[in-house]
Amino acid sequence: MSAPTPTRAAKKRPALLLAQFESTADVLHAAEKVREAGYQKWDVHTPFPVHGMDKAMGLPDSKLGWIVATMAIIGFCSALSMYYFMNGVDYAIIVGGKPGFSPPAAVPVYFEVTVLLSAFGTVFGMFHLNGLPRHHHPIFESDRFAAVTDDKYFISIEAGDSKFDVNETRGFLENLHPTHIELLEEAVS
Amino acid sequence: MGYHEPLTEIGEFPLVQPGTTMRVVTETVAGVTENPAPKGWWMLFAVALSFLGIFGGTIGYLFWRGVGIWGNNNPVYWGWDITNFVWWVGIGHAGTLISAVLFLFRQKWRTAINRFAEAMTIFAVICALIFPGIHVGRPWLAYYMFPLPNQMGIWPNFKSPLLWDLFAVGTYFTVSLLFWYVGLIPDFATLRDRSKTQVRRVVYGLLAFGWRGSNRHWQNYERAYLILAALSTPLVLSVHSVVSFDFATSLEPGWHTTIFPPYFVAGAVFSGFAMVMTLLLVTRQVFKLEHIVTMKHLDLMNKIMLVTGSLVGYAYAMEFFTAWYSGNTYERYVFMNRAFGPYAWAYWAMVSCNVISPQFYWFKSLRQNIPLMFVISIVINIGMWFERFVIIVTSLHRDFLPGSWGYFHATIFDFCTYLGTFGVFFTLFLLFIRWVPMIAIAEVKATLPEADPHFSAAGTGSHASHGSHGSHGEAHGAAAGVHAAAHGVAE
């Protein structure tokens, strides 16, 4: 029944192939080739956002705006209902002969709460769309990858991609003239 | 937009000194947090800590004895407390202006100073928020300001500008903090990837949220940054407008004017830029950042101070005109009293500091004179403090009934509270420049010539011909040609 204890190496499987490039132009043109080859689960890693890369990768537009718009509406409505409940229903303070709930009298509050919730939507929505925080990722196994936050550029193709084949994909990446290619593995869970 | 050489003929300039590569940017900025602190930092930190001690002592005594230790009296109910509050909030505005408004206007020169200015915003707003908290007399009841359920079953008055102020400054602080943090994530990742010790690796790693420079992430990140800038721009204009409503919606002569919101916003930007300048000149010197924060940056900031200082001068003149033109006796009296009454010294100090001193900046040689700009930046900060003092105290000390006129004398505790907030500010600021990348590494890199995919190190002549004005497609095709040529050379 019991299988022989596998070695540490045997418990690993390929996670992604990582190719390193030295300039923005090189990585941009390589990204266009990867897109044309039809890969889906792949990514470009750069120290700063490279102009034109979204187009080169063929990415659809970010969905963040919809999250923010939703949060803005929620913010406006919650400010208005807070005022309505607090000064209109629960505890009316009559100032200047106005009714307890007098919508035009608290516009700055609606504005501020709208902005506040929109900003929460922007930041936490961005984290949600990006799947961050994520402190464990096979890509961090590479020692070279530390330079991605300095002055190097990388393309990664994940093993989960339907077109991925360790040898074929490596050969494909070699044709893009990277300065280095490496196979990163992850533990089989 | 393709890469192009800066056209000096139309006033374009390189954003960093030529020869500054990506590696140099990383090393310079990250190095500040990694190398031992220079002696200058320790000296400043010791001074800041002693002021922080003054703050702790004064606040402790204030809580023990109550606000009677200040000079506030009847009729001057608001003295230095609210003066300091308005002054500190105003300081913060330049940070948001630089990070958000200049971002929307695609002013790429902001990248060298935006992180710095945003940090200044956050610490200045912290200092500002101290004052409403402590001036209520019983700080353990400060939560009455918030719309929270309480044992008396009452709610705050939403028609009161003081409540609007709470929402405005609270939102401003929160959004500024989020904006700052979002900008910091890629730079924390840089520090994480360079860290030599386990502690740094863990701390910066946690702060970086596992950032891996993914372009799929950058896409959402850039959109988030753009939206935050778009939210912050009206927000920053609203904050000092709402602060000015605290005054403008009252019936007090000298306060009850419609010019207040724009006048306060211009003054806030003015004083904020002066504070950024003071801090930047010192930091640039101590940490040797002259190749990233260039003379051109300082020159542009001085121009903004000239504009906003003149706007403030216009507002002072217009206040006088309106008081005269209104024909209102009380209004006229307040302004005559400001300029020629018992507080004339404060009024003319304000005018000399705020209106006259920035006029030196009409001359380019003076805009690029570092000792002069250091002095003027401090003079402007003093002048803007006097502006708030003049507005608050001279209006209150003589209003309608001569029987209730008075005079405000500041006490030693007023001085110490104010000086103490400098301790809070500079302690936080010095810790920031020591442990956090004080220049936005990723943003500066994105403005370097080599960051542009159309840049070719093979020869600057080749891309000058296709220039910057083609459509994206054209420039792209041409750049591909340049790239191929460069590749050929390499092989």
Side-chain angles (χ1 to χ4, degrees):
Chain A
M1 289 292 281
S2 64
T5 315
T7 60
R8 207 175 149 69
K11 277 205 285 187
K12 293 202 165 184
R13 65 174 174 216
L16 52 87
L17 272 164
L18 188 65
Q20 177 181 332
F21 298 86
E22 302 299 314
S23 80
T24 47
D26 290 349
V27 78
L28 188 82
H29 299 304
E32 284 168 348
K33 301 262 172 52
V34 179
R35 184 199 68 210
E36 282 160 13
Y39 286 99
Q40 298 298 321
K41 292 186 177 176
W42 64 287
D43 212 335
V44 178
H45 304 266
T46 54
F48 52 85
V50 174
H51 186 70
M53 186 60 86
D54 295 348
K55 203 175 160 202
M57 284 180 74
L59 296 182
D61 198 20
S62 171
K63 292 183 184 64
L64 188 61
W66 295 105
I67 299 179
V68 178
T70 312
M71 288 302 280
I73 294 167
I74 294 174
F76 181 83
C77 295
S78 52
L80 199 67
S81 35
M82 178 166 65
Y83 177 32
Y84 173 72
F85 170 73
M86 290 179 185
N87 281 183
V89 176
D90 204 41
Y91 190 79
I93 301 174
I94 309 298
V95 179
K98 295 186 189 75
F101 177 65
S102 164
V107 169
V109 174
Y110 316 149
F111 173 76
E112 302 297 341
V113 178
T114 306
V115 168
L116 183 68
L117 291 209
S118 306
F120 284 141
T122 311
V123 175
F124 297 112
M126 186 264 287
F127 284 137
H128 171 73
L129 292 177
N130 287 350
L132 296 177
R134 178 177 175 184
H135 291 286
H136 286 86
H137 192 282
I139 207 164
F140 290 125
E141 297 298 321
S142 165
D143 291 332
R144 287 172 168 271
F145 189 68
V148 76
T149 55
D150 185 4
D151 61 349
K152 297 286 184 272
Y153 311 86
F154 295 85
I155 288 184
S156 64
I157 301 183
E158 292 178 19
D161 192 290
S162 54
K163 276 178 65 85
F164 185 88
D165 175 89
V166 173
N167 296 322
E168 263 182 42
T169 306
R170 178 185 279 271
F172 166 75
L173 282 173
E174 271 164 9
N175 284 332
L176 303 177
H177 307 292
T179 51
H180 187 83
I181 295 186
E182 107 184 82
L183 176 67
L184 296 171
E185 296 177 314
E186 63 187 340
V188 177
S189 50
Chain B
M1 185 172 86
Y3 173 74
H4 69 102
E5 292 285 303
L7 301 169
T8 47
E9 294 83 357
I10 59 165
E12 291 184 341
F13 58 94
L15 290 162
V16 295
Q17 280 181 11
T20 309
T21 61
M22 306 256 169
R23 179 62 59 77
V24 170
V25 174
T26 314
E27 293 285 337
T28 312
V29 182
V32 171
T33 70
E34 291 159 354
N35 304 328
K39 209 173 264 169
W41 185 86
W42 283 108
M43 281 157 49
L44 292 171
F45 194 59
V47 176
L49 279 185
S50 36
F51 280 94
L52 187 65
I54 295 177
F55 177 76
T58 317
I59 294 297
Y61 188 61
L62 176 80
F63 289 178
W64 183 253
R65 288 291 305 275
V67 289
I69 65 172
W70 289 338
N72 301 22
N73 60 24
N74 176 356
V76 187
Y77 297 101
W78 278 354
W80 281 35
D81 45 1
I82 300 302
T83 303
N84 296 340
F85 164 71
V86 179
W87 188 76
W88 276 118
V89 176
I91 296 282
H93 279 51
T96 318
L97 193 93
I98 290 169
S99 58
V101 181
L102 296 185
F103 177 78
L104 294 181
F105 283 102
R106 305 293 186 271
Q107 296 294 305
K108 288 187 175 177
W109 60 274
R110 71 185 258 292
T111 53
I113 53 172
N114 71 327
R115 171 70 44 73
F116 202 83
E118 287 165 31
M120 186 197 71
T121 295
I122 290 163
F123 304 142
V125 176
I126 289 175
C127 290
L129 284 170
I130 290 171
F131 286 99
I134 62 175
H135 94 304
V136 294
R138 297 182 191 186
W140 52 93
L141 297 179
Y143 72 92
Y144 282 2
M145 291 190 281
F146 297 90
L148 295 171
N150 56 49
Q151 74 278 23
M152 300 175 294
I154 63 173
W155 294 106
N157 175 13
F158 278 72
K159 300 181 198 87
S160 162
L162 297 176
L163 183 89
W164 306 345
D165 210 8
L166 181 90
F167 277 92
V169 182
T171 301
Y172 183 48
F173 177 72
T174 314
V175 174
S176 301
L177 192 66
L178 290 173
F179 199 10
W180 189 58
Y181 197 84
V182 166
L184 274 167
I185 291 171
D187 293 357
F188 278 139
T190 299
L191 294 188
R192 171 198 68 199
D193 291 342
R194 289 168 55 87
S195 50
K196 304 268 190 304
T197 68
Q198 182 71 6
V199 175
R200 285 182 72 95
R201 206 171 67 83
V202 170
V203 172
Y204 288 124
L206 285 174
L207 290 171
F209 286 170
W211 183 258
R212 51 185 190 272
S214 153
N215 194 64
R216 292 173 194 273
H217 292 181
W218 277 122
Q219 189 198 26
N220 290 320
Y221 177 94
E222 283 197 287
R223 182 60 55 86
Y225 206 88
L226 178 68
I227 294 174
L228 282 175
L231 290 171
S232 301
T233 300
L235 178 64
V236 71
L237 298 179
S238 84
V239 173
H240 233 57
S241 300
V242 170
V243 169
S244 81
F245 292 161
D246 292 346
F247 305 98
T249 58
S250 75
L251 298 177
E252 188 77 13
W255 286 3
H256 187 60
T257 55
T258 49
I259 201 175
F260 260 29
Y263 162 31
F264 269 51
V265 171
V269 172
F270 182 49
S271 67
F273 266 88
M275 189 59 128
V276 177
M277 182 62 88
T278 313
L279 299 173
L280 203 55
L281 288 173
V282 176
T283 315
R284 183 175 180 267
Q285 192 81 30
V286 171
F287 291 101
K288 314 222 173 333
L289 300 170
E290 288 88 347
H291 55 301
I292 294 178
V293 183
T294 63
M295 186 56 84
K296 188 72 192 175
H297 293 121
L298 305 179
D299 183 276
L300 286 167
M301 288 170 64
N302 287 335
K303 281 185 184 167
I304 292 180
M305 277 187 257
L306 174 60
V307 172
T308 47
S310 305
L311 281 173
V312 165
Y314 170 79
Y316 296 160
M318 194 47 64
E319 273 191 319
F320 262 81
F321 171 77
T322 310
W324 167 75
Y325 195 62
S326 72
N328 181 306
T329 319
Y330 300 106
E331 195 75 18
R332 281 184 177 181
Y333 176 75
V334 160
F335 282 92
M336 291 311 282
N337 184 48
R338 265 187 198 174
F340 306 109
Y343 284 107
W345 55 274
Y347 184 80
W348 293 108
M350 166 188 99
V351 171
S352 339
C353 293
N354 291 347
V355 186
I356 298 171
S357 77
Q359 304 306 323
F360 288 110
Y361 289 153
W362 286 103
F363 304 100
K364 187 174 180 182
S365 58
L366 299 179
R367 280 200 305 273
Q368 304 201 344
N369 180 333
I370 286 183
L372 180 86
M373 64 176 94
F374 186 71
V375 171
I376 291 186
S377 71
I378 290 179
V379 166
I380 291 172
N381 275 311
I382 296 172
M384 285 307 296
W385 188 88
F386 271 111
E387 179 193 302
R388 281 62 181 255
F389 179 80
V390 165
I391 290 171
I392 293 172
V393 174
T394 68
S395 306
L396 282 174
H397 92 119
R398 288 182 179 178
D399 56 7
F400 300 102
L401 287 176
S404 61
W405 285 1
Y407 193 83
F408 174 85
H409 294 281
T411 67
I412 179 78
F413 298 106
D414 282 308
F415 280 102
C416 288
T417 317
Y418 181 47
L419 287 181
T421 50
F422 279 94
V424 176
F425 181 81
F426 281 105
T427 305
L428 290 169
F429 202 84
L430 287 162
L431 289 173
F432 154 73
I433 58 180
R434 183 78 189 87
W435 299 111
V436 177
M438 68 168 131
I439 288 174
I441 302 174
E443 290 184 42
V444 171
K445 281 179 188 164
T447 64
L448 296 180
E450 63 192 275
D452 195 297
H454 305 145
F455 173 77
S456 157
T460 47
S462 57
H463 48 71
S465 57
H466 61 75
S468 62
H469 306 295
S471 71
H472 186 79
E474 286 166 27
H476 193 80
V482 173
H483 165 66
H487 215 82
V489 172
E491 281 162 5

